[in-house]
Amino acid sequence: MSQAATATEAANTNGGVLHPLGEKFNPNTSKPQNLVGWLFGGTGLALFALMALVGLLMRFTQADTVGVSPEWFYRLMTLHASGMLAGALLSMMGGLWFVVRAVVPGLSLGRAIASWLAIVAGAVLIVVAVLIGGFAAGWTFLFPLPFDASGQWSTWAAVTFIIGMGLVGVGFMVYCIDVLKATTQAYGGLSGALGVKWLRGKDPTGPPPQVIAATAVTIQGVICSAVGMTIVMALLDHTIDGQVALDALWAKNLTYFFGHTIANLIIYLAAGMIYVLVPLYAGRQWKLSKPLAIGWLFTIVFVMTAYSHHLYMDFVQPGAPQMISLVASSAAAIPVAVVTIYTGMMLIWGSRFRWTLTSVLLYLGFAGWAIGGSGAVIDSLIPINFRLHNTLWVPAHFHNYLMMGVGMWMMALVSYMLERAAGRTASRRTTIWAPLLMVGGGYGFIFSWYISGALGIPRRWAVQPIGTENYSLVASIFAIVFLIGFFMLLLEFFSLARTALARRREAPPEPALASIAGASTEADLALGNAPEPLLRSPFGIAVTVGLAVIASFALLPPISEASEATIGFHHLAHAVQFFIGAMLAAALASTPAIARRITPRWTNIGLITVILLPAGMLLFMIPAIYTDIEDENFLHASYHFVVLILGFLLGLGASTLGRTAGWAVLISSVGMGLMFAAGVTGG
Amino acid sequence: MEVSFGSFQVAVLMAFLFVTMALVTIFVVVARQSSRNVAFETVTDTGYRLRRAWLAFLVLLLGSGVVLSLFFLPFPGDSKATATVNVSGGLFYWSMNPETIPVGSEVSFDVTSADVNHGLGIYDPDGVLMGSVQAMPGYHNQLDLTFDKPGTYMMACLEYCGFKHHDMMKEFEVTQ
Ligand code: HEM
Ligand SMILES: [Cu+2]
């Protein structure tokens, strides 16, 4: 049969929404997928719309055309950035979940909803902190600014904001643990789900690309949120006990490790979604390939080591992270340029690509990523950064890839779901005009920033240098053009939604969903997804117990007494106790007798444990709590024993999460204790 | 404060515009080719071959960017400084000692903060940003700069520090 003949046949069945050959790549959908898609994608887009208006108001303020005071400008700036990032994160988390769930049914709907709730609750606290509490330390909340407010906000506002950020981190953590657990369970462990087994010829089929992306992103997500929790808890400790002193350089490292990485991961979440959506319009499959699997391994390394470019102009930052970051920031671009975007272009080339609103948005997103990424790489070269650091070049490049890259993909996700549900494409007028206005307006808006960056205008200035207000004015007008296109798109979305609803009324009702919380574990039970024990062999168990024993030498009197000398060492001792407890539990839970009895029913409680306990441990490390009992031997010993128990419970919790996710949280939780010891003193 | 384009910054901007134009060209070409009907094997045959060249090109380009960077690092080396100037940032002021700098000196700025994080950006008499360094509480960053041009220079804050962040400026003179 000729390709053309197949084409018309298929076109009849899918109403021409997709490429004639694309339907067979369309992910199967289930009720949970649709729920998560609409919930995450819808919330994300709503935040985008609101925060875009806030952004416009900010740019007009800089143009000196509206009377927003600097006090309010900086509040809006804090709100805009936090809200946009939370929205983009949610949206792409949902998009990736949607496509991965089609092949990994072990993803838990209940836990996805829990993660949504945590992030939305965090966003609400952030709104309260800013609009009611007047908090304006920026979304990066660099210590000590949240506590040195120049009279602009009080401590409760700072605490509310920090807890809000913490909740965003918790939500992301829940998502990452669950996705990591499910993908590694479905594809033979970490090396299976990352395609390493396939690369080494030990797995004939290998995981599909979206699973590799999901695994790679979520393992980084666990680490990144653990770092986020550490800085959040340290800041809370400082609030509770003013004597807790944080090192400013340490705080900056942790804050940017968390903030940079989570913001950067958004676009990698999106990449996983793109692997599935682009084929629908190209009629060609996005296949697993060696460059793809290798590219993601490199991506993990480079994305996790690039954050230090935020500290280039801190000359006291040690040379090693600076040099690693210099290399990593450039190198991270290679997998993107050579694998993801390049393959995307090959799929599209000569494919009789089906241009609909969705696919136009998908395509534009590639351009936003490529151009914005180039702006980022240029700025990541240290001699250039010397003259561009914290100038408007910075918002230029990240709006370039967040607004014109991720933003397009946030719209594409919702557009895809709508076109699919409505069984028709968006109107031709919107398909042409909305993207055109957004591209014209968006790039005009962003280029005014690139130029202003070259002019040396600092970023985050409510009042622009004399004589440059016109850049802000022109940019504001461009932003309006962007927003006209965006609202045109929203109108089209409403119209598509109406068609979809009408269509649904005619269709037979879908079976209702059993309880959301139950849905998760039921899936696991049905799939027989009992968590694999943390340790595979008696040898592994012996080694782990051995490690715990060796670590406990550090608690013998001569060393532990010396550790009382400084707070840092004392915290280190706590981390060691925590570690011992965790290792003992990991070993115990891996013994066949116990491992057999661990069921997926315990996963939710395990998840709660591994999130609360490390946070609790850090909260517990406040000198105000333990200095009073320092001299009472019994109390003091019990205190240390409690830390050990916390570690033990953590180990038990981790053992309900399967091997990969379990070890990821174990290692990062112990890491939290170590990081804390490295930077928190005083008392 | 007045700002103006420095030749270095303009060169960077031009390089970026060039890259952008190249990328836009690629995206336009691919979009135009998208409607054709080419067998995927034909696309991948050429595509995979080109990809190797593309990888080599990128590694070379980015690699030389990184290597070149190493020769122009702004980090303090063995300082040949002829003068040391202590700078401290605070909400919302700069204090500086001494307050004037003789022309031609190689100055080593010792930069710190009295409270929150600030960023010291130095603008020359034309309003060109010469470079910046962070002012961090508890730490001293050393910034070496040479002042060949006499005139009025400007310090501005390049790290957000609160509601008068944009007002945190100070002029200083470089004199004959
Ligand atoms: C129409 C859309 C948008 C407009 C008009 C807008 C406007 C602005 C403006 C005026 C600033 C302040 C820049 C400065 O002077 O330093 C800003 C900062 C920022 N924006 Fe946007 N923006 C838009 C979209 C986005 C999107 C889609 C994201 C992320 C997904 C985003 C995230 C941020 C962040 C993280 C900052 C940094 C704030 C800071 O420096 O603390 N924006 N935006
Ligand atoms: Cu300042």
Side-chain angles (χ1 to χ4, degrees):
Chain A
M1 206 178 348
S2 79
Q3 206 175 351
T6 344
T8 37
E9 244 168 64
N12 293 336
T13 63
N14 62 26
V17 174
L18 303 180
H19 189 284
L21 302 173
E23 184 63 43
K24 63 174 178 287
F25 306 128
N26 211 1
N28 297 324
T29 56
S30 55
K31 201 135 193 186
Q33 275 165 286
N34 285 327
L35 234 163
V36 167
W38 291 123
L39 188 63
F40 283 66
T43 318
L45 211 58
L47 277 167
F48 184 96
L50 282 175
M51 295 302 141
L53 293 175
V54 173
L56 181 66
L57 187 58
M58 286 158 65
R59 206 68 180 112
F60 267 123
T61 306
Q62 291 173 325
D64 213 5
T65 43
V66 294
V68 175
S69 65
E71 286 86 335
W72 270 100
F73 175 91
Y74 292 120
R75 285 176 194 143
L76 295 180
M77 181 183 88
T78 305
L79 183 67
H80 166 81
S82 318
M84 275 293 190
L85 291 172
L89 181 68
L90 270 177
S91 182
M92 292 301 104
M93 282 163 66
L96 184 67
W97 203 93
F98 185 94
V99 299
V100 171
R101 173 69 195 243
V103 288
V104 184
L107 286 188
S108 149
L109 174 63
R111 294 192 275 276
I113 306 266
S115 136
W116 181 87
L117 281 172
I119 295 180
V120 169
V124 169
L125 288 189
I126 289 169
V127 170
V128 169
V130 171
L131 293 187
I132 301 175
F135 183 77
W139 81 277
T140 47
F141 58 95
L142 267 192
F143 182 80
L145 185 54
F147 305 101
D148 203 338
S150 310
Q152 292 298 302
W153 61 87
S154 50
T155 308
W156 78 259
V159 170
T160 307
F161 183 88
I162 291 165
I163 295 179
M165 271 290 165
L167 280 175
V168 173
V170 164
F172 190 49
M173 177 91 124
V174 169
Y175 173 92
C176 288
I177 291 176
D178 189 59
V179 172
L180 186 61
K181 167 182 163 292
T183 57
T184 53
Q185 255 170 5
Y187 287 92
L190 186 61
S191 60
L194 285 175
V196 175
K197 276 190 183 161
W198 175 78
L199 281 174
R200 299 174 56 203
K202 290 188 177 160
D203 168 5
T205 41
Q210 68 270 32
V211 168
I212 296 191
T215 310
V217 170
T218 52
I219 194 147
Q220 300 176 68
V222 172
I223 299 170
C224 152
S225 343
V227 176
M229 283 306 276
T230 311
I231 182 71
V232 161
M233 296 318 293
L235 291 172
L236 292 181
D237 285 359
H238 175 78
T239 324
I240 298 171
D241 179 354
Q243 290 188 317
V244 173
L246 311 187
D247 180 284
L249 183 61
W250 172 87
K252 199 173 189 180
N253 270 288
L254 266 68
T255 304
Y256 278 119
F257 188 98
F258 168 62
H260 166 81
T261 311
I262 201 169
N264 200 184
L265 285 180
I266 297 174
I267 205 156
Y268 289 97
L269 288 163
M273 175 183 88
I274 294 312
Y275 291 158
V276 177
L277 295 192
V278 168
L280 308 184
Y281 304 90
R284 293 165 173 172
Q285 195 179 3
W286 201 310
K287 288 206 186 97
L288 171 61
S289 68
K290 276 188 187 159
L292 186 135
I294 296 172
W296 276 99
L297 294 178
F298 276 112
T299 298
I300 297 180
V301 175
F302 295 139
V303 169
M304 297 311 284
T305 50
Y307 84 93
S308 182
H309 57 223
H310 286 269
L311 286 91
Y312 277 160
M313 295 306 120
D314 289 278
F315 295 169
V316 286
Q317 170 85 337
Q322 303 282 38
M323 291 304 122
I324 291 172
S325 165
L326 174 66
V327 175
S329 307
S330 281
I334 290 178
V336 178
V338 177
V339 183
T340 297
I341 298 182
Y342 192 89
T343 308
M345 296 303 112
M346 280 203 300
L347 288 185
I348 291 167
W349 186 287
S351 67
R352 312 183 77 204
F353 195 66
R354 177 82 176 96
W355 290 103
T356 71
L357 182 55
T358 310
S359 62
V360 171
L361 293 168
L362 287 173
Y363 194 73
L364 291 175
F366 281 122
W369 196 1
I371 300 172
S374 308
V377 168
I378 288 177
D379 192 23
S380 79
L381 298 174
I382 297 175
I384 296 179
N385 190 268
F386 185 51
R387 292 168 182 90
L388 292 181
H389 195 83
N390 281 350
T391 67
L392 287 174
W393 187 280
V394 179
H397 88 260
F398 73 70
H399 281 82
N400 200 156
Y401 69 72
L402 283 176
M403 175 174 158
M404 305 311 289
V406 173
M408 296 295 131
W409 289 339
M410 292 165 74
M411 297 172 212
L413 168 65
V414 175
S415 170
Y416 158 73
M417 294 187 60
L418 281 170
E419 287 187 333
R420 178 173 178 154
R424 70 166 173 92
T425 56
S427 75
R428 201 179 145 71
R429 200 175 39 144
T430 312
T431 304
I432 293 172
W433 278 98
L436 207 62
L437 290 170
M438 287 196 288
V439 165
Y443 281 97
F445 170 70
I446 286 165
F447 269 81
S448 96
W449 269 336
Y450 279 119
I451 297 169
S452 306
L455 259 176
I457 303 178
R459 76 186 278 204
R460 298 169 152 177
W461 270 26
V463 181
Q464 297 288 289
I466 308 154
T468 64
E469 298 85 351
N470 282 341
Y471 286 96
S472 308
L473 187 61
V474 171
S476 304
I477 294 166
F478 274 120
I480 290 181
V481 174
F482 174 90
L483 285 174
I484 293 174
F486 178 64
F487 282 104
M488 198 171 161
L489 178 105
L490 287 187
L491 286 181
E492 181 70 33
F493 280 3
F494 285 122
S495 139
L496 281 167
R498 263 208 309 275
T499 316
L501 286 176
R503 205 165 168 238
R504 223 173 83 166
R505 256 177 257 122
E506 288 158 19
E510 285 178 66
L513 198 69
S515 89
I516 286 176
S520 49
T521 30
E522 269 162 32
D524 271 347
L525 287 171
L527 294 163
N529 272 346
E532 329 87 320
L534 292 171
L535 298 160
R536 236 182 290 231
S537 62
F539 178 71
I541 296 179
V543 168
T544 309
V545 173
L547 280 178
V549 172
I550 293 173
S552 57
F553 288 144
L555 304 177
L556 291 176
I559 302 183
S560 72
E561 265 154 37
S563 84
E564 306 294 308
T566 74
I567 301 277
F569 270 110
H570 197 155
H571 289 159
L572 196 60
H574 292 168
V576 171
Q577 288 142 20
F578 194 72
F579 172 78
I580 296 169
M583 288 306 114
L584 289 179
L588 184 69
S590 303
T591 55
I594 296 186
R596 237 192 351 253
R597 293 190 169 78
I598 298 177
T599 90
R601 280 182 216 289
W602 297 346
T603 305
N604 287 338
I605 192 109
L607 189 63
I608 294 173
T609 319
V610 300
I611 286 175
L612 288 186
L613 286 188
M617 160 187 67
L618 299 188
L619 202 56
F620 213 50
M621 289 205 210
I622 298 179
I625 297 183
Y626 63 73
T627 38
D628 285 347
I629 57 176
E630 209 83 299
D631 302 326
E632 300 235 16
N633 277 336
F634 176 70
L635 279 179
H636 192 188
S638 337
Y639 176 90
H640 287 193
F641 192 65
V642 168
V643 176
L644 193 129
I645 294 292
L646 287 181
F648 190 80
L649 293 175
L650 172 87
L652 292 184
S655 62
T656 67
L657 302 176
R659 189 170 298 136
T660 307
W663 277 110
V665 292
L666 270 183
I667 293 170
S668 47
S669 301
V670 172
M672 285 168 72
L674 294 177
M675 279 186 280
F676 193 90
V680 181
T681 53
Chain B
M1 182 175 82
E2 274 184 48
V3 288
S4 64
F5 292 105
S7 45
F8 180 87
Q9 283 93 334
V10 170
V12 170
L13 184 63
M14 289 303 148
F16 173 67
L17 287 179
F18 177 79
V19 172
T20 304
M21 248 126 66
L23 288 170
V24 169
T25 311
I26 294 174
F27 282 107
V28 169
V29 169
V30 175
R32 294 186 62 111
Q33 294 292 325
S34 71
S35 53
R36 289 179 47 208
N37 189 0
V38 183
F40 193 39
E41 292 72 52
T42 318
V43 178
T44 49
D45 273 355
T46 326
Y48 290 150
R49 218 166 341 106
L50 267 179
R51 170 142 76 182
R52 243 169 275 154
W54 173 227
L55 173 65
F57 170 75
L58 273 183
V59 170
L60 217 70
L61 183 73
L62 297 173
S64 43
V66 167
V67 171
L68 256 168
S69 292
L70 298 177
F71 291 96
F72 299 96
L73 294 178
F75 303 149
D78 341 304
S79 190
K80 302 181 294 289
T82 54
T84 300
V85 175
N86 293 307
V87 177
S88 174
L91 295 162
F92 297 92
Y93 62 88
W94 290 109
S95 71
M96 173 185 184
N97 181 30
E99 298 231 355
T100 52
I101 293 169
V103 74
S105 13
E106 301 197 7
V107 177
S108 171
F109 289 95
D110 178 312
V111 183
T112 188
S113 163
D115 37 53
V116 300
N117 287 290
H118 300 278
L120 172 66
I122 296 182
Y123 292 77
D124 77 7
D126 299 326
V128 175
L129 178 58
M130 297 168 72
S132 78
V133 72
Q134 293 279 301
M136 180 179 267
Y139 285 90
H140 290 259
N141 281 313
Q142 181 192 333
L143 169 66
D144 294 340
L145 279 180
T146 306
F147 291 87
D148 291 330
K149 234 187 307 180
T152 307
Y153 287 67
M154 181 72 88
M155 293 177 172
C157 187
L158 283 186
E159 186 61 72
Y160 173 62
C161 58
F163 75 116
K164 286 188 190 164
H165 165 53
H166 55 277
D167 269 345
M168 194 172 145
M169 279 183 268
K170 180 183 175 66
E171 287 182 350
F172 65 92
E173 299 291 330
V174 171
T175 50
Q176 291 278 291

